[in-house]
Amino acid sequence: MKALIIVDVQNDFLPGGALEVSKGDEIIPVINYIQKDYDLIVATQDWHPANHQSFVSQHPGKLPFEIIELAGMTQVLWPDHCIQDSYGAQFAEDLQLARVEGIFRKGLNPFIDSYSGFYDNGRLKNTGLSGYLKDRGVAELHVSGLAADFCVFYTAMDALSEGFKTSIISKATKAIDKGAMMEKKNEFIRAGGLLI
Ligand code: VGL
Ligand code: ZN
């Protein structure tokens, strides 16, 4: 079984959104087109309470993209984004969802961020995604979505550690920080991942 995971293709990550990824909208037709090649499709959804401690609004005097310490880890302060039930948290209007069988939400705990669809950044909680995919007989996972350098990267790294044969689909993802992407690609390949 080969599965596609669509990571965080939500309005706030598209051009004009609160945490926009440059050209993020360009991956939507690609993701729609490739869906026919998969036995199973799942999605993740960044789903933060309004007081999430990764939000710059929660740290007066700090600037977006500054780095602080949170829950004992370094944390980027993000523009407030993907607030539960907001327009920004909704999936992109043009994204085809008819074949998406499971939606895994993350980032609900205000005190810890969660980039991967499998675990939060402190590995305190398992979303159940790994068990779900294994129960469905998935051996191979292809990762798409936003953003390449955060939630796509960490989801793909965790997929490898969970034992899936894992690929990132280059044309189906875009990065927030293109400059930092090369190092992350190398790290993924060193861990046994494929770029396709
Ligand atoms: C993401 C930063 C904060 C992502 C989510 O989906 O890549 N990045 N929250
Ligand atoms: Zn987030």
Side-chain angles (χ1 to χ4, degrees), residues 45-96:
Q45 191 171 26
D46 213 30
W47 194 251
H48 296 305
N51 68 340
H52 198 272
Q53 295 302 303
S54 74
F55 289 174
V56 69
S57 68
Q58 301 299 299
H59 304 272
K62 301 275 183 203
L63 295 171
F65 307 102
E66 254 187 77
I67 290 168
I68 63 158
E69 193 170 301
L70 181 66
M73 288 169 287
T74 56
Q75 173 68 50
V76 180
L77 290 180
W78 302 110
D80 298 21
H81 64 277
C82 297
I83 295 171
Q84 295 165 356
D85 293 318
S86 69
Y87 173 78
Q90 287 174 24
F91 290 114
E93 264 148 47
D94 296 337
L95 180 67
Q96 278 171 31

Side-chain angles (χ1 to χ4, degrees), residues 8 13 19 46 48 78 81 106 113 115 146-147 150-151 176:
D8 299 2
F13 297 119
L19 179 42
D46 213 30
H48 296 305
W78 302 110
H81 64 277
K106 60 189 181 61
D113 212 351
Y115 296 145
L146 300 169
F150 286 93
C151 293
I176 294 173

